[in-house]
Amino acid sequence: MAANPNHLIRLAPHGGSFECAPGQTVLDAAMAAGYWLPHSCRAGSCNSCELPVLEGRFHHLELPADGGAVAAGRCRSCRALADSDLLLEAPGVPREPGQRVVSCGARVSAVERPSADVAVLHLQLPEHSGFQFRAGQYADVLLKDGARRSYSMANAPDEANVIEWHVRRMEGGRFSTHAYDKLKVGAMLRIEGPFGTFTLQPGDAPVVLLASGTGYAPIAAMLKAHGAELARRRAVLYWGGRQRADLYAVAEVEQWQAEHPGIRLIPVLSEADPQWQGRRGLVHAAVLADLPDLSAYEVYACGNPLMIDAARSHFTASAGLPPERFFADAFVLRH
Ligand SMILES: Cc1cc2nc3c(=O)[nH]c(=O)nc-3n(C[C@H](O)[C@H](O)[C@H](O)COP(=O)(O)OP(=O)(O)OC[C@H]3O[C@@H](n4cnc5c(N)ncnc54)[C@H](O)[C@@H]3O)c2cc1C
């Protein structure tokens, strides 16, 4: 009988384990087995998936320059291949395997274009797709050559077999220009998901929600799914864009505010017209100006990777935010 070429990956401290096939990344193998290791971009850039390796040998696939170096003794699981059995330190990962990644067709059931560069897509999934997500997670659209692009679900998970994406058109961008310029009701897409661990953590800490542009999408899902809880935790949404039109769903947020007094919206524009009466500048700077002491807070940030890097470093270095209370999904590009 041929030897099993797979390696066994064990998770400390609870001892859950799964097999990793040759050529398969540790993160892909974990998620195929239902072990939801922490992760975000799955492209080696954001570092969310780095874990200490307690035993065993591994190597990384090529790492993108924007992710920086990986510290000795740690693996970036979305780019790591096992060269032997491994023992990983993954304390927050449940013992029992859970959520599974599903690949299925999706029919475009509605397209709205609320601004000059944002398309809101509604996708209808097959009745028995088994696709289930939590507010804050994302899914990939698979392009014909196998390339993929990620988009965060903007609706509450309780809508059966429907997902909503907010896609910002990027000049020269392959999928986003197609989505904005050409996609029509009835078109079929192939999607895979859910992915991501950017979800509201249980607790009592007051919450700052921080979004740039379509980084609002997963925050919208959180507002829809956890409105009462976010109101209880006095959530403040800082939503940044260049101009008013970039904040394409202010009316929707105002509706959530009306239903859940306690949630506040602070729009922040970096290139506002002279008539703009609201806050100006960079969105993370507005948070720092209002809340110079973030030591008691949790922050959920989503959108432009530069905004997220700036927020993470300033909030933790100069406003006392504990690093483990900064949760983020950075919209890094994949090529
Ligand atoms: C976890 C996650 C969640 C995300 N969620 C969202 C979301 O909810 N909404 C959203 O709008 N986006 C989201 N994104 C970003 C999204 O996945 C895409 O990266 C984005 O839409 C651009 O894809 P595209 O195919 O249109 O552009 P691409 O084809 O990837 O091009 C992007 C840009 O790079 C330029 N470019 C392309 N090729 C090259 C090259 N070889 N050299 C130099 N420049 C080049 C293009 O002109 C364009 O400006 C998310 C990303 C991640 C990682």
Side-chain angles (χ1 to χ4, degrees):
M1 204 166 65
N4 181 355
N6 297 348
H7 292 300
L8 187 72
I9 317 287
R10 287 176 303 130
L11 302 176
H14 59 51
S17 64
F18 55 92
E19 292 201 0
C20 188
Q24 189 178 29
T25 67
V26 169
L27 180 62
D28 282 349
M31 296 213 305
Y35 284 111
W36 220 248
L37 299 185
H39 67 278
S40 176
C41 77
R42 292 169 32 254
S45 296
C46 75
N47 307 355
S48 308
C49 66
E50 270 186 36
L51 293 170
V53 181
L54 304 176
E55 287 171 20
R57 288 172 291 106
F58 64 95
H59 69 279
H60 287 116
L61 296 167
E62 192 186 344
L63 289 166
D66 58 359
V70 188
R74 295 173 73 85
C75 81
R76 202 168 284 169
S77 72
C78 75
R79 304 291 292 165
L81 302 185
D83 297 323
S84 71
D85 292 351
L86 296 177
L87 177 63
L88 304 178
E89 190 176 321
V93 176
R95 171 88 178 80
E96 294 307 318
Q99 206 171 21
R100 303 288 166 138
V101 173
V102 166
S103 178
C104 64
R107 187 179 152 275
V108 177
S109 55
V111 186
E112 295 144 25
R113 294 178 177 84
S115 81
D117 64 0
V118 174
V120 172
L121 307 182
H122 297 257
L123 305 179
Q124 179 69 51
L125 313 187
E127 203 175 326
H128 302 295
S129 68
F131 184 100
Q132 288 182 327
F133 68 96
R134 290 184 292 148
Q137 291 189 304
Y138 67 92
D140 285 355
V141 56
L142 308 186
L143 308 184
K144 288 214 167 66
D145 62 358
R148 40 176 85 218
R149 298 290 184 265
S150 306
Y151 296 97
S152 308
M153 272 67 79
N155 56 320
D158 55 5
E159 283 181 73
N161 302 310
V162 174
I163 62 176
E164 176 183 325
W165 281 348
H166 298 177
V167 181
R168 184 166 85 81
R169 184 186 189 285
M170 293 188 72
E171 199 54 49
R174 195 169 155 198
F175 180 74
S176 65
T177 53
H178 173 72
Y180 191 90
D181 299 348
K182 304 211 177 104
L183 213 50
K184 292 198 171 61
V185 170
M188 289 299 297
L189 301 175
R190 179 122 211 115
I191 68 155
E192 191 173 283
F195 296 107
T197 47
F198 180 65
T199 53
L200 184 66
Q201 305 300 304
D204 297 318
V207 167
V208 169
L209 305 166
L210 180 62
S212 66
T214 46
Y216 166 69
I219 306 277
M222 290 183 194
L223 289 170
K224 292 168 189 173
H226 309 298
E229 163 148 15
L230 286 168
R232 181 179 65 79
R233 294 172 66 178
R234 304 189 305 283
V236 191
L237 165 56
Y238 287 83
W239 188 7
R242 283 156 303 157
Q243 290 160 353
R244 251 180 252 228
D246 293 332
L247 311 187
Y248 53 90
V250 163
E252 179 180 83
V253 183
E254 285 169 352
Q255 182 195 327
W256 286 103
Q257 280 184 285
E259 283 180 33
H260 300 289
I263 296 176
R264 282 191 300 139
L265 166 67
I266 303 199
V268 184
L269 299 183
S270 59
E271 297 170 23
D273 55 55
Q275 287 75 42
W276 173 247
Q277 305 280 322
R279 302 289 290 275
R280 292 170 183 268
L282 297 177
V283 66
H284 77 279
V287 176
L288 284 172
D290 293 354
L291 303 168
D293 179 1
L294 286 167
S295 55
Y297 282 77
E298 274 177 11
V299 175
Y300 294 83
C302 190
N304 184 324
L306 295 176
M307 181 280 280
I308 289 183
D309 284 349
R312 188 197 310 269
S313 60
H314 286 101
F315 293 1
T316 55
S318 56
L321 179 73
E324 67 279 7
R325 294 218 224 111
F326 184 88
F327 304 94
D329 251 357
F331 286 1
V332 297
L333 303 175
R334 298 178 209 282
H335 295 294

XYZ file of all heavy atoms in Angstrom, residues 241-291:
402
model
N -14.198 58.879 3.269
C -14.127 58.860 1.816
C -13.474 60.139 1.361
O -13.090 60.977 2.193
N -13.326 60.284 0.045
C -12.782 61.554 -0.433
C -13.894 62.601 -0.457
O -13.784 63.668 0.108
C -12.180 61.385 -1.834
C -10.817 60.715 -1.828
C -10.533 60.064 -3.141
N -11.604 59.093 -3.429
C -11.951 58.643 -4.620
N -11.329 59.062 -5.690
N -12.921 57.775 -4.770
N -14.992 62.232 -1.120
C -16.102 63.176 -1.247
C -17.396 62.525 -0.785
O -17.441 61.319 -0.579
C -16.200 63.619 -2.707
C -15.021 64.505 -3.041
C -14.748 64.607 -4.520
O -15.369 63.910 -5.319
N -13.804 65.462 -4.880
N -18.409 63.371 -0.660
C -19.708 62.915 -0.151
C -20.206 61.642 -0.846
O -20.714 60.733 -0.198
C -20.751 63.999 -0.418
C -21.205 64.707 0.791
C -22.206 65.715 0.338
N -21.649 67.041 0.438
C -22.306 68.038 1.007
N -23.522 67.857 1.457
N -21.766 69.211 1.089
N -20.036 61.585 -2.173
C -20.590 60.463 -2.929
C -19.923 59.141 -2.554
O -20.493 58.071 -2.774
C -20.416 60.725 -4.424
N -18.710 59.215 -1.994
C -18.031 57.975 -1.601
C -18.759 57.278 -0.449
O -18.595 56.082 -0.239
C -16.584 58.263 -1.173
C -15.739 58.727 -2.352
O -16.055 58.341 -3.494
O -14.774 59.480 -2.126
N -19.536 58.056 0.304
C -20.296 57.476 1.426
C -21.701 57.174 0.894
O -22.672 57.869 1.186
C -20.312 58.445 2.610
C -18.926 59.006 2.995
C -19.007 59.813 4.286
C -17.886 57.898 3.148
N -21.743 56.129 0.083
C -22.882 55.886 -0.801
C -24.111 55.346 -0.080
O -25.151 55.159 -0.709
C -22.450 54.892 -1.905
C -21.833 53.634 -1.298
C -22.608 52.537 -0.966
C -20.478 53.595 -0.990
C -22.059 51.429 -0.370
C -19.919 52.484 -0.384
C -20.718 51.405 -0.089
O -20.169 50.302 0.521
N -24.002 55.057 1.225
C -25.153 54.443 1.917
C -25.459 55.147 3.234
O -25.925 54.519 4.180
C -24.875 52.960 2.162
N -25.218 56.452 3.280
C -25.459 57.199 4.523
C -26.922 57.066 4.963
O -27.216 56.907 6.155
C -25.053 58.677 4.343
C -25.663 59.550 5.424
C -23.530 58.801 4.380
N -27.847 57.075 3.997
C -29.271 56.980 4.361
C -29.543 55.658 5.082
O -30.305 55.610 6.056
C -30.131 57.088 3.109
N -28.881 54.586 4.628
C -29.071 53.280 5.279
C -28.547 53.327 6.721
O -29.193 52.829 7.647
C -28.324 52.203 4.483
C -28.432 50.824 5.071
C -27.676 49.781 4.263
O -26.437 49.646 4.448
O -28.304 49.099 3.451
N -27.381 53.955 6.921
C -26.827 54.027 8.279
C -27.746 54.857 9.165
O -27.987 54.517 10.329
C -25.410 54.639 8.286
C -24.847 54.626 9.702
C -24.488 53.897 7.355
N -28.284 55.931 8.606
C -29.169 56.781 9.414
C -30.408 56.002 9.848
O -30.915 56.180 10.953
C -29.523 58.053 8.642
C -28.325 58.997 8.650
C -28.453 60.191 7.699
O -29.412 60.235 6.896
O -27.573 61.052 7.757
N -30.859 55.121 8.973
C -31.999 54.268 9.338
C -31.627 53.365 10.528
O -32.390 53.202 11.469
C -32.378 53.429 8.120
C -33.561 52.528 8.335
C -33.638 51.483 7.228
O -33.270 51.735 6.078
N -34.094 50.303 7.587
N -30.388 52.811 10.497
C -29.952 51.963 11.620
C -29.822 52.768 12.893
O -30.151 52.310 13.973
C -28.629 51.261 11.277
C -28.918 50.178 10.305
C -28.691 50.189 8.965
C -29.607 48.957 10.583
N -29.185 49.050 8.391
C -29.749 48.267 9.362
C -30.123 48.378 11.739
C -30.373 47.039 9.264
C -30.738 47.133 11.649
C -30.863 46.488 10.423
N -29.352 54.012 12.723
C -29.237 54.879 13.904
C -30.604 55.131 14.515
O -30.760 55.134 15.728
C -28.657 56.221 13.501
C -27.164 56.232 13.335
C -26.736 57.657 13.033
O -26.943 58.134 11.926
N -26.179 58.317 14.002
N -31.609 55.375 13.636
C -32.952 55.667 14.137
C -33.516 54.451 14.871
O -34.165 54.580 15.906
C -33.857 56.069 12.968
N -33.236 53.255 14.352
C -33.773 52.054 14.994
C -32.999 51.677 16.242
O -33.512 51.031 17.135
C -33.748 50.890 14.005
C -34.876 50.994 13.012
C -34.880 49.855 12.015
O -34.489 48.732 12.366
O -35.268 50.121 10.861
N -31.722 52.052 16.275
C -30.878 51.686 17.421
C -30.156 52.922 17.924
O -28.964 53.089 17.673
C -29.845 50.625 17.013
C -30.462 49.364 16.510
N -31.114 48.473 17.334
C -30.525 48.836 15.277
C -31.549 47.460 16.626
N -31.209 47.648 15.368
N -30.879 53.810 18.632
C -30.185 54.998 19.151
C -29.041 54.480 20.032
O -29.201 53.510 20.739
C -31.250 55.704 19.987
C -32.552 55.075 19.635
C -32.268 53.719 19.070
N -27.929 55.095 19.965
C -26.750 54.541 20.669
C -25.651 54.296 19.652
O -24.470 54.372 19.974
N -26.065 54.002 18.390
C -25.075 53.885 17.322
C -24.920 55.266 16.700
O -25.911 55.929 16.411
C -25.546 52.874 16.249
C -25.646 51.473 16.860
C -24.605 52.889 15.044
C -26.185 50.423 15.917
N -23.671 55.710 16.535
C -23.462 57.040 15.935
C -22.654 56.910 14.660
O -21.761 56.049 14.559
C -22.709 57.952 16.901
C -23.615 58.491 17.990
C -22.918 59.591 18.767
N -21.712 59.118 19.397
C -20.562 59.798 19.452
N -20.464 60.984 18.899
N -19.503 59.293 20.068
N -22.957 57.771 13.679
C -22.184 57.819 12.428
C -21.414 59.135 12.386
O -22.003 60.205 12.577
C -23.123 57.746 11.219
C -22.475 58.133 9.870
C -21.405 57.110 9.465
C -23.524 58.257 8.771
N -20.121 59.047 12.126
C -19.336 60.261 11.910
C -18.690 60.165 10.521
O -17.706 59.443 10.344
C -18.271 60.429 13.013
C -19.005 60.433 14.353
C -17.420 61.691 12.773
C -18.321 60.993 15.518
N -19.278 60.850 9.537
C -18.668 60.829 8.209
C -17.451 61.754 8.162
O -17.485 62.833 8.757
C -19.776 61.364 7.292
C -20.837 61.934 8.168
C -20.510 61.640 9.599
N -16.402 61.329 7.483
C -15.157 62.105 7.436
C -14.681 62.155 5.986
O -14.477 61.099 5.365
C -14.060 61.451 8.306
C -12.805 62.319 8.326
C -14.547 61.201 9.731
N -14.524 63.369 5.444
C -14.125 63.493 4.035
C -12.740 64.119 3.923
O -12.430 65.101 4.600
C -15.138 64.356 3.278
C -16.575 63.816 3.249
C -17.462 64.730 2.399
C -16.620 62.382 2.711
N -11.913 63.536 3.040
C -10.544 64.062 2.899
C -10.438 65.107 1.787
O -9.498 65.875 1.756
C -9.568 62.917 2.633
O -9.937 62.224 1.466
N -11.417 65.109 0.843
C -11.357 66.109 -0.237
C -12.743 66.731 -0.417
O -13.287 66.791 -1.523
C -10.918 65.449 -1.556
C -9.519 64.869 -1.489
C -9.189 64.008 -2.708
O -9.809 64.180 -3.780
O -8.312 63.139 -2.564
N -13.308 67.188 0.707
C -14.697 67.670 0.685
C -14.818 68.988 -0.072
O -13.874 69.777 -0.108
C -15.168 67.868 2.118
N -16.014 69.233 -0.636
C -16.268 70.526 -1.263
C -16.441 71.576 -0.153
O -16.673 71.236 1.012
C -17.502 70.439 -2.179
C -18.718 69.931 -1.426
O -19.056 70.545 -0.404
O -19.317 68.929 -1.859
N -16.329 72.872 -0.505
C -16.350 73.912 0.531
C -17.652 73.932 1.333
O -17.670 74.377 2.480
C -16.187 75.220 -0.267
C -15.642 74.807 -1.585
C -16.086 73.409 -1.843
N -18.752 73.425 0.757
C -20.039 73.465 1.481
C -20.112 72.420 2.602
O -20.989 72.483 3.448
C -21.215 73.200 0.519
C -21.544 74.341 -0.424
C -20.517 74.452 -1.545
O -20.092 73.434 -2.093
N -20.097 75.673 -1.879
N -19.239 71.455 2.581
C -19.307 70.347 3.557
C -19.162 70.874 4.986
O -18.196 71.561 5.316
C -18.210 69.339 3.238
C -18.033 68.235 4.240
C -16.956 68.032 5.061
C -18.929 67.139 4.498
N -17.125 66.904 5.817
C -18.337 66.334 5.502
C -20.184 66.770 3.993
C -18.938 65.181 5.996
C -20.780 65.624 4.490
C -20.165 64.841 5.473
N -20.169 70.568 5.814
C -20.181 71.073 7.198
C -19.542 70.088 8.171
O -19.329 70.411 9.337
C -21.637 71.279 7.658
C -22.473 72.165 6.768
C -22.189 73.632 7.032
O -21.990 74.009 8.166
N -22.145 74.442 5.988
N -19.290 68.861 7.687
C -18.862 67.795 8.613
C -17.350 67.747 8.794
O -16.629 68.699 8.489
N -16.887 66.593 9.296
C -15.466 66.422 9.609
C -14.640 66.290 8.343
O -15.083 65.716 7.352
C -15.287 65.154 10.461
C -16.091 65.176 11.741
C -15.516 66.172 12.714
N -14.249 65.707 13.232
C -14.119 64.885 14.281
N -15.195 64.468 14.914
N -12.939 64.503 14.706
N -13.421 66.792 8.398
C -12.503 66.729 7.255
C -11.223 66.035 7.685
O -10.846 66.061 8.848
C -12.136 68.145 6.788
C -13.289 68.899 6.187
C -12.912 70.360 5.966
N -14.057 71.075 5.453
C -14.311 71.237 4.146
N -13.470 70.781 3.244
N -15.388 71.875 3.764
N -10.522 65.468 6.696
C -9.207 64.878 6.975
C -9.248 63.368 6.825
O -10.128 62.811 6.170
N -8.257 62.727 7.433
C -8.163 61.266 7.346
C -9.026 60.642 8.442
O -9.063 61.131 9.577
C -6.711 60.814 7.494
C -5.784 61.316 6.379
C -4.345 60.885 6.634
C -6.259 60.798 5.008
N -9.669 59.540 8.088
C -10.689 58.995 8.991
C -10.075 58.504 10.301
O -10.643 58.692 11.379
C -11.530 57.931 8.250
C -10.730 56.695 7.872
C -12.757 57.556 9.045
N -8.879 57.905 10.252
C -8.306 57.406 11.513
C -7.887 58.578 12.415
O -7.919 58.480 13.635
C -7.124 56.469 11.252
C -5.861 57.161 10.886
N -5.599 57.611 9.616
C -4.810 57.523 11.648
C -4.428 58.202 9.615
N -3.917 58.166 10.819
N -7.525 59.720 11.778
C -7.138 60.890 12.570
C -8.349 61.458 13.309
O -8.229 61.965 14.432
C -6.500 61.937 11.669
N -9.525 61.359 12.704
C -10.747 61.831 13.376
C -11.016 61.002 14.628
O -11.427 61.526 15.668
C -11.931 61.754 12.412
N -10.766 59.688 14.542
C -10.955 58.837 15.733
C -10.012 59.291 16.842
O -10.411 59.467 18.000
C -10.694 57.344 15.397
C -10.803 56.475 16.644
C -11.650 56.854 14.321
N -8.747 59.499 16.481
C -7.753 59.895 17.491
C -8.102 61.245 18.124
O -7.910 61.438 19.320
C -6.366 59.974 16.859
C -5.680 58.634 16.599
C -4.409 58.843 15.801
C -5.378 57.925 17.914
N -8.621 62.162 17.288
C -8.966 63.479 17.826
C -10.107 63.352 18.840
O -10.112 64.020 19.876
C -9.368 64.410 16.678
N -11.085 62.475 18.546
C -12.242 62.345 19.443
C -11.955 61.449 20.638
O -12.515 61.643 21.715
C -13.436 61.734 18.683
C -13.968 62.676 17.607
O -13.495 63.817 17.544
O -14.850 62.242 16.842
N -11.149 60.420 20.410
C -10.943 59.386 21.439
C -9.443 59.167 21.650
O -8.894 58.150 21.225
C -11.606 58.069 20.990
C -13.102 58.133 20.664
C -13.575 56.876 19.968
C -13.904 58.356 21.942
